[in-house]
Amino acid sequence: MELAYVCEWEKRPRSTHCPSIPLVCSWSCRNLVAFTTDLKNDDDDKDVSHMIHIIDTEHPWDVYSISSGHTEVISCLEWDQSGSRTLSADGDGQIKCWSMSDHLVNSWESILSSSLDGDPIVALSWLHNGVKLALHVNKSIVCPCFLLKFSRVKFSPSLTLFGGKPMEGWMAVTVSGLVTVSLLKPGGALLTASESLCRLRGRVALADIAFTGGGNIVVAATDGSSSSPVQFYKVVVSVVSEKCRIDTELLPSLFLRCTTDPMRRDKYPAVTHLKFLTRENSEQVLLCASNQSGSIVECWSLRKEGLPVNNIFQHRSPVVGEKQPTILKWRILTTTNDLERVSAVALPKLPISISNTDLKVASDTKFCPGLGLSLAFHDGSIQILHRLSLHTMGVFYGSSSSSSAQRPGDESAIKRQRTGGPTLHFKALQFSWTSLALAGVDNHGKLHMLRVSPSMGQVLEMNTTLRHLLFLLEYCMVTGYDWWDVLLHVQPTMVHNLVEKLHEEYMRQNQALQQVLATRIVAVKASLCKLSTATAARACDFHAKLLLIAISSTLKSLLRPHVLNTPDKSPGDRLTEICAKNTDTDIDKVMINLKTEEFVLDGPPLQSLQQLIQWVGDFVLYLLANLPNQGSMVRPGFGFMRDGASLGMLREMLVVIRIWGLLKPGCLPTFTAMSDNQDSMQLLFRLLTKLWLCSRDDGPPQDPDESLIDECCLLPSQLLVPSMDWLPVNDGVIVKLQGKQPLRLQFGKASSLPGGGSTTPLEVFTRSPGSQKMDNLRCVHMGVCPTEESKACTRCGCVTMLRSPNKTNAMKQWEQRWIKNCLCGGLWRRIPPTLP
């Protein structure tokens, strides 16, 4: 483990000095981190604001702080499985649901709430939606199919609507032993009910919630004393006559092992942490008992055991089909030795399969993500322990000393006594969704981001390291989770090999899955290529490809069949088929084979799409004019020269634009020609077709012939070649974390540190202070100092106006496609206006 960055407040929150006030942290699958602090008024110590802070890990300084309105200390934060909503609960029984305002990660609002006045919440969870994957390490090498590497596990939702659709809602456990459930009805109303966990209600100091494959919910609860039993309850939620109903049932309980050990019976009087090992596994639980100076951790498992039969019944002749009666019983798996006092616990979210075969392959290949749980201690250190054996896998000694990931056998380093230890310690700790990063909030309110090596510091061959990272990138592609934490471990020298191997694995999937993942893999490649200056130009190509795919699908969707009883193929599919078969370089001859009545549209939609059509024309001209310049240095556009599919798509777009130009000449792209009789579209189509013929998928790739290169050399003397405005350089931290030195950042102040690359950036990325700002989605210029509010993608840096300036339906349809996410799938964040 090593520190990646620390983000601190300019003015430290006063109440974080107080050890009795907990801090809470939660990490979403979209790499949003939420954490809490409590701010006291300097004039009145009783006036406390309970704050929720939300950041995206790529721009940690751009924090959105919410004055939550909670009247007591916030005790729980919980993201939903989409990463777009979060729950907060406090010590007064208030539960609030927060959602993005205008789909911006730095703008949030409370949309729903429920309350159990005066009853503090100790556990909180969203109801399960029935989606569960299992990640099989043993198939990461031998099996090419993504659907077998990441298999869907049969798992029922906590509650279903008509037709089996999962019902949304949340569940909480209070300190008085109540369980409360709030259900989100399809109309937006909230259905709430409460029920006691058992007939004899008692104090619940700690609780946790897990789910079973049959749709039931299991609650673990303790009163905080290590001498008391840890109780387990089954909770079943249903809707009867438009009312929420909760049924509870007592399950087998357990006593901590340390309380039965004569040497430790009274040593650890309090249970300080109670966690199910995973959200979908109610049969394994982690318990931590502590005193003022130390802790001990125990791992328990629920097993089915045969019930012994009395001797009187053993001599009875057995009945056919009769089975021995069984009972469920908690058995201890393992326990740690005496530890430093534990201050926080983090459990892995990666759903790795723990079958014997998978565990053996993971051990042989040193694949550790998902197998380790993290413990933070009051001396400022962090240990990662194996989730089954609890043996040490890695140690982090705090930011004030040299950070390192110790090998599992290095016991001397673990037991080493350190003098003058750090005063800071972590109050909250959370794993990322691939377990390759840890986010921790210390007792001064600072946010720490730590890298967690996939091999826990063990030396691996380069091919094995690449295979581990590739496996996790594939997992993110299939699930749609953000892959930012995987990029933390990618060095510039790995980028090219990772991109090539990822493409090879993608091409081995079936056609249907390739179509589903078509844009997602392009976005992953673009993120990888930005990590190295040698591949930065390819990142431009991948972003341009995303825009091309989007424009192509939008323009094709406007085509309508002339006759209602349509054949199997849509007009867009027929266009693709005809253009692929017809290799003629004359655009008008290609048009003859098309049913032009399918392309008839009204004038206003065509005119409103002119800026997208203009981008297609400018991009084709730029590619062809730069064909002779693609030499040893890779420039933007190089990736398209041998991409037959993308060149074919551009060719189709030119045909469509040519037809629409006959109906509405104002929608045609504008070119500055050197002669009045120059047919620009005809010229570009002819050269593009020749280039496409060199890179078609149905034949071996060929180098462009000399005549084509000569004609492309003459293009700048025939048409004015536009300067393409590529995406701006991403201002996030990921490109600045290539070195081993951690970044020191401050909330509210944008990072101004130089990038991690040793070479100067490409000229295409540089922006002069007086250059025009570009709306990268609408393909229009916004001016040097835009007055319109803008938003930027957290992943790729794409900038677009927050409010639409268009009033036509066709352009609004285009804009609605990107209201929630960018072209690359990244989230939006509001950016401050440009100062003149």
Side-chain angles (χ1 to χ4, degrees), residues 475-513:
Y475 170 72
C476 292
M477 276 203 332
V478 171
T479 58
Y481 296 160
D482 200 287
W483 50 86
W484 180 88
D485 46 339
V486 183
L487 301 181
L488 282 175
H489 302 270
V490 178
Q491 297 299 317
T493 53
M494 301 179 183
V495 171
H496 178 75
N497 288 334
L498 267 179
V499 170
E500 295 302 316
K501 289 180 181 293
L502 188 64
H503 182 74
E504 290 174 9
E505 292 298 319
Y506 169 78
M507 295 305 295
R508 295 168 73 180
Q509 309 308 309
N510 61 57
Q511 195 66 33
L513 187 56

Side-chain angles (χ1 to χ4, degrees), residues 151-221:
S151 63
R152 181 79 177 262
V153 179
K154 188 177 181 181
F155 209 87
S156 299
S158 304
L159 191 63
T160 56
L161 296 165
F162 179 77
K165 181 182 178 182
M167 192 170 189
E168 293 185 315
W170 60 79
M171 172 183 172
V173 180
T174 71
V175 75
S176 68
L178 275 181
V179 55
T180 178
V181 175
S182 297
L183 304 177
L184 294 172
K185 297 177 70 174
L190 205 59
L191 199 63
T192 302
S194 301
E195 186 61 58
S196 176
L197 280 173
C198 60
R199 290 183 179 180
L200 297 175
R201 286 172 62 183
R203 179 177 181 270
V204 176
L206 296 172
D208 198 21
I209 301 170
F211 302 89
T212 68
N216 297 325
I217 306 167
V218 177
V219 174

Side-chain angles (χ1 to χ4, degrees), residues 721-751:
V721 179
S723 58
M724 295 299 294
D725 198 309
W726 303 96
L727 287 181
V729 180
N730 194 354
D731 60 348
V733 298
I734 195 68
V735 295
K736 302 170 185 175
L737 295 175
Q738 304 296 333
K740 298 297 183 183
Q741 291 298 320
L743 299 182
R744 301 285 173 176
L745 307 172
Q746 195 172 96
F747 289 120
K749 293 188 177 180
S751 173

Side-chain angles (χ1 to χ4, degrees), residues 583-652:
T583 60
D584 204 305
T585 58
D586 190 331
I587 190 170
D588 295 324
K589 291 182 179 179
V590 177
M591 286 169 48
I592 294 174
N593 298 311
L594 293 171
K595 296 179 180 179
T596 53
E597 61 270 13
E598 295 178 341
F599 294 79
V600 175
L601 293 178
D602 296 332
L606 290 179
Q607 190 62 47
S608 64
L609 295 171
Q610 201 278 332
Q611 61 257 40
L612 302 183
I613 293 172
Q614 183 68 47
W615 183 89
V616 174
D618 288 346
F619 189 67
V620 171
L621 177 55
Y622 176 87
L623 287 182
L624 294 172
N626 280 273
L627 178 62
N629 300 328
Q630 297 293 350
S632 56
M633 182 179 178
V634 177
R635 296 178 178 274
F638 176 80
F640 284 87
M641 300 307 172
R642 294 183 181 272
D643 188 352
S646 296
L647 294 176
M649 203 179 299
L650 286 169
R651 196 165 169 265
E652 295 167 20

Side-chain angles (χ1 to χ4, degrees), residues 126-132 153-160 164 166-167 171 181 183 209-219 233-239 245-247 279-282:
W126 290 89
L127 297 182
H128 204 284
N129 62 1
V131 177
K132 182 186 177 184
V153 179
K154 188 177 181 181
F155 209 87
S156 299
S158 304
L159 191 63
T160 56
M167 192 170 189
M171 172 183 172
V181 175
L183 304 177
I209 301 170
F211 302 89
T212 68
N216 297 325
I217 306 167
V218 177
V219 174
Y233 307 90
K234 182 173 79 171
V235 179
V236 180
V237 182
S238 57
V239 176
R245 177 178 172 179
I246 303 172
D247 296 302
R279 185 170 178 258
E280 288 102 0
N281 186 357
S282 61

